[in-house]
Amino acid sequence: MIRPLTAASLLLCLVSLPGCVTGPGTGALLPVGDPEVFAAEVQPVLAAGCSNPSCHGNAGRPLEVYAPFMHRLDPDRVHLDEPITEAELVLNRLRAAAFLRDCDDPDLSALLTKPLAPAAGGCEHTGGTVYEDDSEPDYQTLRAWASEAIDEAGRSQ
């Protein structure tokens, strides 16, 4: 009998296979960052600003975000007033980390440039500008996590 992967074992498998996670030949670890910081600080930012079904709260988006009351791994849980599961949290973290892949500078990552206004150094975002400039608190939360995750991945190599 094959046992299903737990969220922790899924994360371990994904970060332990750097060639598969980051692309052929790079050998770089996916910068996943601190899970507690992600859960306490980053997940609420993504849930509040990105999880609407017309945005990243659906399976058709690269940064698919699970959140309470919104998109869920189990479609029967959509719109329920309950916390996201550990598996959903791990998947959100991995997806956010994928937007940091192959970046040495968090300010150049897709996680930070996509929502930032082009006038402030960002790039076009289908959902429009989320942050007018890099001083906004939620942007700073994402940046702090991204910076630490990139630094941690660099130290682990």
Side-chain angles (χ1 to χ4, degrees), residues 47-134:
C50 308
S51 67
N52 186 290
S54 66
C55 195
H56 293 280
N58 71 61
R61 302 293 177 150
L63 177 60
E64 180 182 0
V65 176
Y66 297 113
F69 296 110
M70 297 287 186
H71 182 53
R72 303 303 296 266
L73 189 57
D74 176 356
D76 292 337
R77 314 298 331 151
V78 172
H79 304 301
L80 294 183
D81 182 14
E82 62 186 26
I84 64 171
T85 66
E86 185 65 26
E88 291 169 327
L89 186 62
V90 167
L91 289 169
N92 283 351
R93 189 166 143 233
L94 290 172
R95 289 176 180 135
F99 279 74
L100 305 175
R101 186 174 72 193
D102 299 328
C103 273
D104 293 330
D105 182 350
D107 295 319
L108 300 178
S109 70
L111 184 69
L112 295 174
T113 59
K114 292 295 277 184
L116 187 61
C123 62
E124 294 299 320
H125 180 236
T126 303
T129 295
V130 178
Y131 305 111
E132 291 298 327
D133 62 56
D134 62 6

Side-chain angles (χ1 to χ4, degrees), residues 1-2 5 22 26 33 38 43 67 86-87 91 97 113 119 133 138 150 155:
M1 171 184 224
I2 298 174
L5 287 176
T22 62
T26 64
F38 186 88
Q43 173 62 29
E86 185 65 26
L91 289 169
T113 59
D133 62 56
D138 285 350
I150 289 170
R155 286 189 307 266

